[in-house]
Amino acid sequence: MAKVLIPTPLRQYADKKDSVELQGTTVGEVLTALTSQYGDLRKQLYNDEGKLRSFVNVYLNDEDIRYLNKDRTPVQDSDTLSIVPSIAGGRYAR
Amino acid sequence: MIKIEAAAWRVMVDHARATYPNECCGAMLGTAQGDSKTVVAAVPLENAFHGEQGARYELRQEDLLWSDAEARRKGMDLLGIFHSHPDCDAYFSKTDLENSCPWYSFVVISVKQGRFDHANSFLPDPDQTHAVNEELSYEVSEVIHG
């Protein structure tokens, strides 16, 4: 099973676990298993259209899945998935 | 509320002053119990924004990934992000809001003429349309503002 690391603020939606191990042969399958098991996580990760929120990125080990095969990226039992937000900003545009 | 211990606060303010007149950014690590957070360590990170950095910052996702791993190694949590506003107040700008993440506290440090002026913390919503003020306290040592 692949391991998914849960960011601190989201652990309240995952039985306070810092990681969970889930079945799945692709990134998409693992994420579906994650949000099926922990329904409250879905609202945090996905928008109303069912797409990952704009600030949510998923890494397979050290690689952004956008530069692999996105949701269809194959996952091995030894792999770790991380949920990493995009963060930026600046003082202009008040 | 978010409380920042002296050692972490010193790192944050020193980073904001060192990068002046550009914006700085970094990660805050510590512990949380419910909505009460204590920042024990701060990690200065590189502003990865391509362009004029006096009014913009961008965190590399790889740096956030590393910061989260570092927190786990230390038995702490990644609690939030800090960045500076050179020569203006510590408000949460439209640019800050539209590029935020609701999972973390966002501490904004105002640096004026190269010196710390004030700071505020914000909690943005999931739709990136609104942020509320979060009560912020920090421990100050004499050497910070010298």
Side-chain angles (χ1 to χ4, degrees):
Chain A
M1 290 196 288
K3 180 191 281 189
V4 180
L5 301 180
I6 310 295
T8 305
L10 300 187
R11 291 176 197 162
Q12 59 184 307
Y13 308 110
D15 291 343
K16 299 186 177 176
K17 294 178 180 172
D18 63 0
S19 66
V20 291
E21 298 201 344
L22 296 158
Q23 297 280 5
T25 59
T26 65
V27 168
E29 287 181 11
V30 173
L31 291 178
T32 298
L34 177 69
T35 53
S36 297
Q37 189 165 335
Y38 302 105
D40 290 342
L41 267 181
R42 183 162 188 83
K43 198 166 62 178
Q44 297 292 324
L45 301 178
Y46 293 90
N47 61 21
D48 292 340
E49 286 80 49
K51 294 183 176 176
L52 279 175
R53 290 188 181 275
S54 60
F55 56 81
V56 175
N57 306 284
V58 178
Y59 275 64
L60 177 67
N61 302 316
D62 294 328
E63 293 190 77
D64 189 333
I65 63 164
R66 288 178 303 176
Y67 304 113
L68 298 173
N69 205 9
K70 301 181 180 175
D71 278 4
R72 297 185 297 279
T73 303
V75 173
Q76 309 294 322
D77 278 355
S78 57
D79 286 336
T80 298
L81 289 175
S82 299
I83 299 162
V84 187
S86 298
I87 294 175
R91 64 188 169 99
Y92 284 163
R94 187 166 193 169
Chain B
M1 73 164 290
I2 185 165
K3 175 186 172 186
I4 304 175
E5 293 188 349
W9 184 244
R10 181 181 300 177
V11 169
M12 292 164 63
V13 173
D14 282 354
H15 189 41
R17 293 176 63 201
T19 57
Y20 178 89
N22 290 339
E23 294 201 8
C24 77
C25 56
M28 300 183 293
L29 316 183
T31 58
Q33 292 210 330
D35 292 335
S36 181
K37 304 162 191 167
T38 301
V39 176
V40 177
V43 182
L45 298 173
E46 185 180 345
N47 182 349
F49 181 74
H50 292 291
E52 206 277 302
Q53 296 185 347
R56 290 296 303 269
Y57 83 96
E58 183 176 336
L59 283 167
R60 279 195 197 93
Q61 289 159 30
E62 290 80 2
D63 288 344
L64 271 183
L65 193 61
W66 180 88
S67 299
D68 186 65
E70 183 71 2
R72 289 169 187 263
R73 275 193 293 273
K74 292 181 173 178
M76 295 192 283
D77 298 319
L78 175 58
L79 299 177
I81 303 303
F82 69 93
H83 76 279
S84 62
H85 280 184
D87 290 327
C88 76
D89 291 338
Y91 56 86
F92 207 57
S93 72
K94 187 166 179 279
T95 308
D96 290 333
L97 184 60
E98 290 176 346
N99 295 280
S100 65
C101 164
W103 307 337
Y104 297 112
S105 296
F106 284 77
V107 170
V108 183
I109 299 170
S110 169
V111 178
K112 295 182 178 177
Q113 302 299 313
R115 299 170 69 90
F116 171 78
D117 193 81
H118 65 282
N120 290 305
S121 184
F122 300 91
L123 297 168
D125 71 349
D127 295 321
Q128 300 170 309
T129 57
H130 183 69
V132 296
N133 277 284
E134 180 182 39
E135 185 181 346
L136 166 69
S137 67
Y138 46 85
E139 297 173 349
V140 181
S141 60
E142 289 299 318
V143 295
I144 291 180
H145 309 304

